[in-house]
């Protein structure tokens, strides 16, 4: 099953273009039918694991996501969704501000758009510096007017409830990119790419040319092992994520659920135009990722997992080569 995303002025598609979905007309589950027999016969599948099917209301046993109506059985919907964004006041490094996001429909801007919960949250907001040296994964909180807000903390102000919640900070100025990942009720997944200029002394730009597929974080060693030993642009790449502590591999049953999954993986191309958000399967005690990069080049990646109440973030540099992944299966959905 495909899942579709909206992005400002750019079309991203997981299978062959530069995103994980296409910006064609959205497809939406019909809410008008009262034929229970017809509803029962419709096919629902996990957006992350399309091989998992069931009935309306079921959830995926692998990742916990709600099964969605298969796109071929959905009715066409011409709604074009976007995320209206504003910062008040203008964001300056080290100073307080508020980031506001309003899910909207083009041409129906006054109509409120309700969002479904996906992996415990209504919006997953990924914040990266444009050079991809900085990463944050946070969750805007809904307001009475239907908007969603993130508090930007000033220097010296502590997080209310730890990192990776509903607050962020910008210690350095410069260019940043926000990816708002959300699901309007009755529609398909959307991703909005938003560029943000932060005032103040800019960060020193870094480049990532050398591959890095082993990362250390908080006393853990995390490595990525693709089938065939390489990452390829086409077909479905299967990647094992191996977590070790003190040289011993940790089985996935020792990982706590983090946002209804054993791990969250974000991959972004070096030009910030390709965005992949992957939730792994669990296979033989390991995390098993499967995704389609869609193009060759350098990707930065971050894998987050949780132990003893703490979220750990391992970062990687992935070199994706032109060509098809070995023994690739039909392209599967990821968002």
């Amino acid at each position: 099953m495909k899942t579709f995303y909206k992005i400002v002025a750019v079309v991203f598609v997981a299978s062959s273009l530069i995103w994980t979905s296409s910006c064609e007309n959205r497809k939406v589950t019909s809410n008008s039918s009262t034929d229970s027999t017809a509803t029962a016969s419709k096919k629902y599948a996990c957006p992350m694991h399309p091989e998992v099917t069931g009935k309306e209301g079921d959830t995926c046993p692998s990742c916990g996501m709600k099964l969605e109506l298969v796109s071929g059985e959905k009715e066409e919907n011409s709604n074009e969704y976007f995320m209206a964004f504003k910062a008040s006041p203008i964001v300056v490094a080290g100073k307080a501000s508020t980031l506001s996001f309003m899910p909207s429909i083009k041409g129906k801007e006054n109509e409120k758009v309700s969002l479904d919960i996906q992996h415990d949250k209504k919006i997953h907001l990924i914040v990266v510096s444009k050079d991809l040296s900085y990463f944050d994964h946070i969750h805007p909180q809904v307001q009475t007017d239907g908007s969603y807000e993130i508090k930007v903390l000033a220097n010296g102000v502590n997080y209310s409830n730890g990192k990776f919640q509903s607050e962020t900070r910008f210690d350095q100025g410069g260019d940043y990119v926000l990816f708002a990942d959300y699901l309007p009720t009755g529609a398909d997944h959307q991703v909005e790419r938003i560029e943000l200029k932060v005032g103040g002394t800019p960060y020193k730009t870094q480049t990532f040319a050398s591959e890095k597929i082993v990362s250390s974080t908080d006393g853990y060693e995390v490595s990525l092992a693709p089938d065939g030993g390489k990452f390829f642009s086409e077909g479905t790449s299967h990647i094992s994520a191996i977590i070790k502590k003190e040289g011993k591999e940790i089985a996935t049953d020792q990982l706590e659920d983090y946002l209804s999954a054993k791990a969250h993986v974000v991959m972004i191309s070096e030009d910030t135009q390709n965005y992949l958000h992957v939730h792994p399967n669990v296979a033989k005690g390991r995390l098993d990722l499967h995704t389609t990069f869609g193009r060759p080049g350098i990707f930065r990646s971050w894998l987050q997992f949780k132990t003893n109440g703490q979220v750990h973030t391992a970062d990687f540099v992935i070199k994706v080569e032109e060509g098809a992944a070995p023994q690739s299966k039909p392209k599967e959905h990821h968002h």
Side-chain angles (χ1 to χ4, degrees), residues 139-188:
H139 309 98
Q141 298 298 298
V142 66
Q143 307 299 304
T144 55
D145 63 352
S147 66
Y148 294 76
E149 290 186 354
I150 285 287
K151 296 296 183 184
V152 179
L153 302 178
N155 283 344
V157 178
N158 294 326
Y159 290 102
S160 299
N161 194 28
K163 288 189 67 177
F164 310 123
Q165 301 295 328
S166 58
E167 299 167 325
T168 193
R169 63 190 337 126
F170 293 97
D171 295 327
Q172 300 180 82
D175 295 319
Y176 292 80
V177 181
L178 318 179
F179 294 96
D181 188 337
Y182 62 105
L183 177 62
T185 299
D188 291 301

Side-chain angles (χ1 to χ4, degrees), residues 210-232:
S210 300
E211 188 169 66
K212 174 188 174 183
I213 56 175
V214 179
S215 178
S216 296
T217 177
D218 304 325
Y220 293 90
E221 180 187 276
V222 186
S223 58
L224 301 180
D227 284 0
K230 296 181 179 180
F231 304 89
F232 291 95

Side-chain angles (χ1 to χ4, degrees), residues 3-30:
T3 296
F4 299 87
Y5 303 85
K6 164 70 173 54
I7 186 168
V8 176
V10 187
V11 176
F12 297 80
V13 63
S15 59
S16 61
L17 299 181
I18 62 173
W19 264 74
T20 58
S21 62
S22 67
C23 197
E24 62 192 23
N25 287 343
R26 308 298 176 192
K27 295 184 177 181
V28 61
T29 305
S30 172

Side-chain angles (χ1 to χ4, degrees), residues 36-330:
S36 59
T37 302
T39 300
S41 66
K42 290 183 179 295
K43 183 179 179 181
Y44 289 77
C46 174
M48 297 299 158
H49 310 104
E51 71 278 6
V52 177
T53 60
K55 63 182 183 301
E56 183 178 10
D58 286 351
T59 57
C60 175
S62 295
C63 67
M65 292 192 72
K66 183 179 178 182
L67 302 191
E68 297 180 5
L69 187 65
V70 173
S71 59
E73 302 192 21
K74 295 181 180 180
E75 296 180 3
E76 292 296 329
N77 173 15
S78 60
N79 283 343
E80 186 174 351
Y81 295 91
F82 69 99
M83 189 70 77
F85 169 75
K86 66 179 180 180
S88 180
I90 294 174
V91 182
V92 176
K95 295 187 177 181
S97 182
T98 299
L99 308 181
S100 177
F101 305 84
M102 177 67 83
S104 306
I105 300 173
K106 195 169 184 177
K108 304 177 185 176
E109 284 79 3
N110 293 328
E111 182 177 317
K112 285 191 176 182
V113 177
S114 62
L115 304 182
D116 286 348
I117 293 175
Q118 293 291 295
H119 283 274
D120 294 343
K121 304 294 180 180
K122 291 193 173 184
I123 300 177
H124 291 264
L125 185 70
I126 304 301
V127 182
V128 294
S129 55
K130 209 164 188 179
D131 71 343
L132 299 178
S133 62
Y134 173 82
F135 169 87
D136 200 4
H137 176 183
I138 47 181
H139 309 98
Q141 298 298 298
V142 66
Q143 307 299 304
T144 55
D145 63 352
S147 66
Y148 294 76
E149 290 186 354
I150 285 287
K151 296 296 183 184
V152 179
L153 302 178
N155 283 344
V157 178
N158 294 326
Y159 290 102
S160 299
N161 194 28
K163 288 189 67 177
F164 310 123
Q165 301 295 328
S166 58
E167 299 167 325
T168 193
R169 63 190 337 126
F170 293 97
D171 295 327
Q172 300 180 82
D175 295 319
Y176 292 80
V177 181
L178 318 179
F179 294 96
D181 188 337
Y182 62 105
L183 177 62
T185 299
D188 291 301
H189 282 95
Q190 311 289 316
V191 173
E192 188 86 15
R193 180 183 180 278
I194 301 166
E195 295 196 3
L196 175 65
K197 184 79 172 181
V198 176
T201 303
Y203 56 80
K204 185 178 180 180
T205 301
Q206 299 182 40
T207 57
F208 300 92
S210 300
E211 188 169 66
K212 174 188 174 183
I213 56 175
V214 179
S215 178
S216 296
T217 177
D218 304 325
Y220 293 90
E221 180 187 276
V222 186
S223 58
L224 301 180
D227 284 0
K230 296 181 179 180
F231 304 89
F232 291 95
S233 58
E234 302 301 323
T236 302
S237 293
H238 289 262
I239 307 163
S240 294
I242 303 164
I243 302 174
K244 294 182 179 180
K245 188 166 188 180
E246 298 177 349
K248 296 181 179 180
E249 185 172 349
I250 294 177
T252 52
D253 60 8
Q254 297 180 50
L255 304 179
E256 298 171 16
D257 283 349
Y258 172 52
L259 300 171
S260 297
K262 289 299 182 183
H264 286 254
V265 181
V266 172
M267 301 177 180
I268 301 175
S269 62
E270 63 180 339
D271 60 4
T272 72
Q273 299 300 311
N274 293 58
Y275 167 92
L276 309 174
H277 188 173
V278 187
H279 302 107
N281 282 327
V282 174
K284 297 180 180 179
R286 283 184 175 176
L287 299 175
D288 176 41
L289 310 172
H290 48 91
T291 191
T292 303
F293 289 96
R295 58 175 280 191
I298 296 291
F299 281 71
R300 282 280 277 152
S301 179
W302 298 265
L303 185 151
Q304 292 184 290
F305 62 100
K306 186 177 181 180
T307 62
N308 300 317
Q310 181 182 358
V311 176
H312 313 283
T313 303
D315 72 294
F316 305 92
V317 180
I318 295 172
K319 281 189 174 182
V320 179
E321 298 187 10
E322 184 76 56
Q327 299 178 343
S328 61
K329 298 177 181 179

